[in-house]
Amino acid sequence: MKKMLILCLVVLTACHSKPKTPFRILKSEKIANGAKLGVLVNSRINKQQLVDIAAYIKSDSSQYNNLQLDFILPGNSYENKGGVIVYATATYHDKAVIAPADTVKDNDNNLLSFEFMGFTPEKAKQLLTLNPQDMADKQLLGRFIDDGTKTISLIYEDKHTDGQLYILELDSIGKVIAAIQPMEVTARGIKKMVVSQQGDYMVLKDSILTMYSSADYDKPFRSLKQNL
């Protein structure tokens, strides 16, 4: 009997071992009968990896009847005026009220709902191969996927025209929906790419593309990390 009890404890510990995929809880806020957590992951991981993280957090947060996990990618910041972009979400509802969307089971047989709000890893990988033919002679500075607008922005530099920059915004099938030649302005040592007549601009630094609105020049609106 004692050996059986030890075996059960080992099994339970294994079920709740920390996932191999790195993650970090950035923010927690209360919701009805529970909590909503912002969970940062290092890359665009698959559904099972995200569910494994959700199960681990749930086992450590069993006091909450409702638990919503919003997965976000590096580059995002809660300090941004536009908030963060959630690319996937997992939600445990009160067991007494099973929702129709609760169709996924974790390793502890708990039901939850799961949805990719943005692009799956497979689709993102496809988007990151896009390189329009008419930009072939220009240097690619970065690809930036925006799960919020379901687009990808490509930034190029033309070495043959005094470093003129080009920004292409493509939709999910690779069609160009916006093409901009930004005006470069340096202010207080910061290189800005002005992308609208109103003065909206972008800053590319340390592989992070940060967007600013003309309504608030100094507060970032949205930020995206390259190649995610």
Side-chain angles (χ1 to χ4, degrees), residues 16-102:
H16 296 111
S17 60
K18 192 168 185 177
K20 294 180 180 179
T21 307
F23 71 92
R24 182 159 55 96
I25 296 175
L26 293 184
K27 186 177 181 180
S28 175
E29 60 181 271
K30 291 183 178 180
I31 58 175
N33 297 321
K36 180 167 73 170
L37 307 181
V39 183
L40 176 71
V41 289
N42 290 348
S43 61
R44 200 177 289 266
I45 55 181
N46 63 39
K47 177 180 177 179
Q48 187 57 57
Q49 290 170 307
L50 292 168
V51 170
D52 289 345
I53 292 173
Y56 179 81
I57 295 175
K58 174 62 177 175
S59 69
D60 198 40
S61 308
S62 57
Q63 72 272 26
Y64 297 124
N65 292 329
N66 295 316
L67 184 64
Q68 178 179 327
L69 306 175
D70 290 339
F71 294 99
I72 62 176
L73 295 168
N76 281 273
S77 172
Y78 282 100
E79 300 301 317
N80 289 350
K81 193 170 183 180
V84 298
I85 304 171
V86 177
Y87 96 97
T89 184
T91 305
Y92 291 91
H93 296 101
D94 192 327
K95 290 183 178 180
V97 185
I98 300 298
D102 294 337

Side-chain angles (χ1 to χ4, degrees), residues 3 7 26 36 44 50 55-56 86 95 100-101 130 142 160 188 192-193 196 198 200 212-213:
K3 289 183 178 180
L7 178 61
L26 293 184
K36 180 167 73 170
R44 200 177 289 266
L50 292 168
Y56 179 81
V86 177
K95 290 183 178 180
L130 295 175
H160 304 292
R188 289 181 289 180
K192 302 179 179 180
M193 297 178 287
S196 75
Q198 293 76 24
D200 302 317
Y212 294 80
S213 168

